[in-house]
Amino acid sequence: MKTVSLEQEINPWEAQSARFDFAAQKLNLDEGLWKVLRYPNRELIVHIPVAMDNGKLEVFTGFRVQHSIARGPAKGGVRYSPDVTLDEVRALASWMTWKCAVVNIPFGGAKGGIICDPHKMSQGELERMTRRYTAELVEFIGPEKDVPAPDMNTNEQVMAWMMDTYSMHMRQTVTSVVTGKPINIGGSRGRREATGRGIMIVCDEAIRKLGLRPENTRVIVQGFGNVGSNAARLMAQKGYKIIGIIEVDGALHNPHGINLEKLWAYREKNRSIAAFPEADKADPAELLLEDCEILVPAATENQITSRNAARIKCRILAEGANGPTTAAADEILAGNGVFVIPDILCNAGGVTTSYFEWVQDRQGYFWKESVVNEQLEDIMVNAFHDVVRFAEAHHVNNRIAAYMLAIDRVAYTIRQRGIYA
Ligand code: NAD
């Protein structure tokens, strides 16, 4: 891959494109299909007026990008953050296309976001902003068109507002327009933990492949939000030794293993993990480089770059977040023999269970949690082995194998649909 500046390296769109180009070239993808798949289908920018609690009017900028609808309706989360950019949303939308194809579910890829600081907004302000954003997207989204879901700083409540706003415009309740909803209004059992559960499932497969057992597998998790906290808790229940947790306001280290049930209860009570008494305080950047068997970056993008990749000591990198590793870091990790479970495979448990939620909403029949978890396990295990087999057969690393598998599936569908006519 070509040499790039650090600024380019940490641009998620550049990171996505570098892997896409490399995988497409390995696949000998024809030039026309390369052009079709390299850029998103549709990009919408909206400017949303919101009445703030202080009586003033504020205008927020939001995005929705649909990368591909070749394999089914576009699917992807909505994030609220002060540093959302169109390039980031483009990259995330493309990753959704590849992710849905890797786990072989009938969706394309999309993503959305609003530039805002949700931690500085009241519930009322968030609700008005969410409703106005949804209203702007009414013609763009829908159960057969594009199905949003939660992502960073959005949650079940935000999905309930989106569902309600869309339903008001349709003059009927349409639960299947978004996933990640509360259970009593069309959500799926198991969705909340699904991304974390999926991470655990692929880690189980990876340690088996490397000859490890959960009891002798030390894990460090970065990010204790939806993905990281559920992954850590479920892995601890399985017997993995969680020795480190890294958050924005501090990091915790306990070489004997952190009691996740206690930490969970502590976080529920204190809204932070920073002062948890049963672990040592650690430097967040240093803890990422600590010796362990599995490192789970489950916070945000660009945590492992050309600057720190050579000092990463884990044997398995299980990418819970989207885009935590840059393309330049990939080569360093590969050189050091790190077994990478790439984001588009590792965190696909969330979208897979979102797919189950969409199916249940359309069926009007809701599954038991054990059924959801069993179906999820089946899909994640198959996807893991598909990617590993592809990597071995084509002599590429797991990430490029996952991209190749995904691009091949999407390209096959496009050829079959015959869009050139
Ligand atoms: P979240 O907002 O619930 O949690 C993110 C957590 O990471 C927060 O606790 C935040 O304080 C922490 N964090 C942010 N920056 C950090 C940093 N630099 N160091 C340490 N901690 C940091 O979000 P989430 O839903 O858990 O999503 C996390 C990542 O997983 C994102 O990249 C998201 O796109 C991806 N993802 C989420 C889902 C899902 O189902 N929620 C599915 C697939 C992928």
Side-chain angles (χ1 to χ4, degrees):
M1 278 178 226
K2 62 183 193 289
T3 319
V4 293
S5 67
L6 185 67
E7 196 187 332
Q8 273 178 307
E9 182 187 334
I10 61 168
N11 177 324
W13 175 247
E14 297 280 346
Q16 190 284 139
S17 306
R19 275 75 165 250
F20 170 78
D21 287 347
F22 189 72
Q25 188 198 331
K26 282 262 168 205
L27 275 174
N28 280 325
L29 187 71
D30 82 67
E31 203 189 330
L33 280 174
W34 178 84
K35 285 183 191 163
V36 172
L37 292 174
R38 196 171 195 277
Y39 298 101
N41 271 172
R42 302 209 284 180
E43 304 179 345
L44 185 69
I45 303 178
V46 293
H47 299 289
I48 321 153
V50 178
M52 305 303 278
D53 292 349
N54 63 7
K56 290 194 175 152
L57 196 61
E58 194 53 78
V59 177
F60 295 92
T61 299
F63 309 102
R64 187 75 187 167
V65 173
Q66 294 169 353
H67 173 259
S68 168
I69 51 166
R71 285 171 47 92
K75 184 86 192 79
V78 176
R79 66 170 52 174
Y80 290 172
S81 166
D83 41 47
V84 171
T85 64
L86 184 54
D87 261 0
E88 178 188 40
V89 179
R90 277 187 185 126
L92 289 159
S94 313
W95 280 324
M96 287 306 297
T97 303
W98 312 136
K99 193 180 299 184
C100 293
V102 165
V103 284
N104 219 350
I105 57 175
F107 284 136
K111 204 80 179 189
I114 303 180
I115 306 170
C116 66
D117 191 346
H119 303 298
K120 294 192 179 139
M121 294 169 72
S122 69
Q123 280 291 98
E125 289 168 344
L126 281 173
E127 177 170 357
R128 292 192 289 279
M129 183 182 76
T130 301
R131 288 188 180 278
R132 191 78 192 204
Y133 172 67
T134 310
E136 292 292 341
L137 297 186
V138 153
E139 284 120 6
F140 216 61
I141 60 174
E144 308 293 338
K145 292 181 182 172
D146 178 359
V147 185
D151 192 69
M152 272 165 68
N153 297 322
T154 56
N155 53 23
E156 291 177 6
Q157 178 60 75
V158 173
M159 292 306 112
W161 292 328
M162 289 190 80
M163 187 279 271
D164 185 64
T165 309
Y166 183 83
S167 297
M168 284 162 71
H169 284 263
M170 294 300 125
R171 316 297 300 152
Q172 60 184 335
T173 295
V174 186
T175 52
S176 52
V177 65
V178 291
T179 58
K181 300 178 294 295
I183 286 183
N184 59 313
I185 50 169
S188 175
R189 292 183 179 84
R191 173 62 184 90
R192 196 179 292 165
E193 304 81 18
T195 309
R197 184 176 295 281
I199 293 171
M200 178 189 71
I201 295 167
V202 290
C203 284
D204 285 349
E205 296 306 302
I207 63 164
R208 198 169 302 142
K209 193 171 166 54
L210 300 190
L212 297 164
R213 282 175 294 110
E215 305 75 59
N216 55 19
T217 301
R218 294 163 303 162
V219 182
I220 295 177
V221 179
Q222 184 199 38
F224 205 63
N226 174 287
V227 177
S229 66
N230 280 299
R233 190 187 202 184
L234 289 166
M235 289 175 86
Q237 285 167 4
K238 212 42 186 304
Y240 287 84
K241 199 191 271 190
I242 314 296
I243 62 161
I245 303 281
I246 306 167
E247 251 299 330
V248 268
D249 55 351
L252 302 172
H253 184 219
N254 183 344
H256 306 294
I258 297 170
N259 183 324
L260 259 293
E261 295 308 318
K262 285 190 183 167
L263 181 62
W264 188 281
Y266 184 89
R267 194 261 315 257
E268 294 302 289
K269 190 161 167 231
N270 300 285
R271 310 312 312 161
S272 163
I273 60 164
F276 181 63
E278 294 185 26
D280 298 327
K281 287 195 177 42
D283 177 77
E286 289 301 317
L287 192 53
L288 202 65
L289 309 174
E290 191 64 39
D291 203 15
C292 64
E293 277 68 43
I294 304 184
L295 176 63
V296 184
T300 185
E301 288 112 54
N302 297 322
Q303 298 305 299
I304 301 158
T305 68
S306 55
R307 300 266 170 108
N308 63 0
R311 288 175 290 143
I312 293 280
K313 294 186 199 69
C314 61
R315 286 184 69 186
I316 297 168
L317 180 68
E319 296 183 336
N322 286 309
T325 310
T326 65
D330 273 351
E331 293 179 28
I332 300 168
L333 296 173
N336 289 343
V338 177
F339 186 91
V340 176
I341 313 176
D343 48 6
I344 55 174
L345 165 65
C346 192
N347 68 34
V351 73
T352 302
T353 307
S354 276
Y355 164 54
F356 300 154
E357 181 174 332
W358 180 77
V359 169
Q360 292 170 77
D361 286 340
R362 287 152 47 106
Q363 281 181 327
Y365 178 74
F366 291 87
W367 311 349
K368 287 193 295 191
E369 188 167 347
S370 56
V371 173
V372 173
N373 293 345
E374 202 180 298
Q375 300 275 359
L376 174 64
E377 175 143 14
D378 204 41
I379 288 184
M380 293 302 294
V381 168
N382 280 330
F384 177 89
H385 291 288
D386 282 352
V387 168
V388 169
R389 258 197 309 274
F390 219 90
E392 288 166 358
H394 294 270
H395 309 290
V396 292
N397 64 42
N398 290 341
R399 188 186 316 280
I400 295 302
Y403 270 75
M404 287 172 74
L405 178 67
I407 295 168
D408 199 38
R409 283 181 177 159
V410 180
Y412 178 77
T413 310
I414 294 176
R415 280 191 218 101
Q416 218 172 22
R417 288 178 62 155
I419 61 154
Y420 296 127

